[in-house]
Every structure is written in structure tokens, then in C-alpha cells.
Amino acid sequence: NIIGGISVCQGYDANRAMGYLLEWKGFRRIYIYAMTENMKAIIRRWTKALFTDQIRRVHGVNERQVLNSGTLHELDDVYTRKLAGCNHVHDFYRTMSSCHHLKNIKIPMVFLNSLDDPIVPPPLLEIIRDAALTNENLLYIEQKFGGHLGFYEGGFIYSNPLTWQDRMVVKLTGALVSGH
């Protein structure tokens, strides 16, 4: 049984998030480049499993197109959406975005974001802020600082290896379990 959940630094709406990721503000375009290259490295590592003859035939994917993708949006369009059975990348992002499912959450769920997240900018946080006001099972925690999955503490050069986020997730998990 699932008794609760914790989500950290989620973007909530992939279609809107992709628009922000293609901007230069906050170096987001550099982040999306790095994420795309990392995804392609994973795909290269698993090429034999991800590009079987059956997958190529059934889903119409082309390995060269995937590995030449310049952005996650392009990669999702030529590969991921096809595996998910979506006709358009916009439909794939809509299906995969949690914003359309928040109203259906029936168990305690905690969402944690920071205002200085370079990947998930403040306009995307309005989604969870509004949802938490209308669903008693949702708790939204918004921090002024923390970046994207960072929440580092300590010195400027060497930070504490145990982050605020790590401690918070452990405490929230404890609270969810003890409340059950």
C-alpha cells in the first residue's frame, strides 16, 4: 500500500516547462543541453535494448534521428512520444504532466520546490500552489533558495554532503509513516 508521497523540484507541466527550458534566462538553455546530452549518453549505452528491430518496426524510430537530437523536446518527439504511443510530443507532455492529475491525489503528498530553481521557474510553481489550496491531501513547501535538487548548505567551496533536502525528505517520510 502507498501511504503517501514526496515530490522534489517537479515542474508540473512539461509543455510549459519546455518553453522555459528553451530560454537563455537563468542559463536554462545550457541546462537543457546538458540534460539532452546526458540522456543521449544513456541511450547510447543501451542502444541494443532500445533500438531492437521490433522497436524500430513497431514504433518507427530512427536511431540516427534520436542521437542527433539537439534538445529534449526534439528527442522526445523522435523517440519517447512514439514509445508512449502519442501522435505528437505536445500530447505526450500533457499525458506525462502531473498538473492534470493533482486533483486525483487521495493520500498525503508533499511537494517541495525552491524559487531560485533554474529549471523550474516560479510561474510553474503557481500550479502546485493553487492545487494545494484546494486539495487537503497536498502540502506544498516553497523555499526561497535551493536551486534544482540542491538545497546545499555549508562552506562556499565544500558544502555539507548531507543537504537540507536530504534531512527534510527523511523528516517528511517519518511524519508520513507515523501519521499512517
Side-chain angles (χ1 to χ4, degrees):
N1 287 340
I2 298 173
I3 61 168
I6 301 171
S7 171
V8 181
C9 298
Q10 184 185 155
Y12 308 104
D13 185 336
N15 278 306
R16 285 180 59 196
M18 194 54 68
Y20 288 111
L21 283 170
L22 294 173
E23 296 176 352
W24 282 103
K25 184 178 180 181
F27 300 106
R28 289 186 194 115
R29 194 122 181 154
I30 294 170
Y31 281 104
I32 196 168
Y33 172 78
M35 289 187 288
T36 304
E37 292 304 309
N38 285 336
M39 185 63 75
K40 290 191 307 188
I42 293 168
I43 290 170
R44 274 188 211 92
R45 192 174 321 128
W46 294 96
T47 295
K48 288 182 182 178
L50 297 175
F51 294 100
T52 64
D53 289 337
Q54 180 183 0
I55 289 174
R56 290 173 203 256
R57 187 179 60 256
V58 171
H59 298 288
V61 297
N62 179 307
E63 182 179 345
R64 173 167 269 142
Q65 282 183 321
V66 173
L67 296 176
N68 287 332
S69 298
T71 64
L72 283 177
H73 185 273
E74 190 177 332
L75 191 148
D76 287 336
D77 190 34
V78 299
Y79 186 71
T80 320
R81 67 135 178 116
K82 292 179 179 183
L83 293 182
C86 295
N87 291 327
H88 302 284
V89 72
H90 180 83
D91 299 332
F92 171 67
Y93 287 159
R94 179 171 168 60
T95 302
M96 298 301 150
S97 295
S98 67
C99 63
H100 307 292
H101 308 284
L102 295 170
K103 64 185 174 295
N104 301 323
I105 294 176
K106 306 291 186 224
I107 58 172
M109 183 79 186
V110 181
F111 297 88
L112 174 63
N113 287 89
S114 69
L115 289 171
D116 69 341
D117 187 330
I119 296 173
V120 183
L124 291 174
L125 303 181
E126 295 167 5
I127 296 166
I128 189 60
R129 250 187 245 122
D130 292 346
L133 291 173
T134 59
N135 185 334
E136 65 181 17
N137 289 309
L138 308 183
L139 172 65
Y140 175 57
I141 301 172
E142 180 178 280
Q143 292 295 113
K144 188 173 183 178
F145 302 108
H148 188 73
L149 298 173
F151 297 97
Y152 294 107
E153 300 174 315
F156 182 71
I157 302 295
Y158 179 74
S159 63
N160 183 344
L162 187 64
T163 69
W164 176 87
Q165 173 188 309
D166 298 331
R167 290 192 318 280
M168 181 58 72
V169 167
V170 169
K171 287 180 183 179
L172 289 169
T173 302
L176 286 169
V177 170
S178 69
H180 178 352

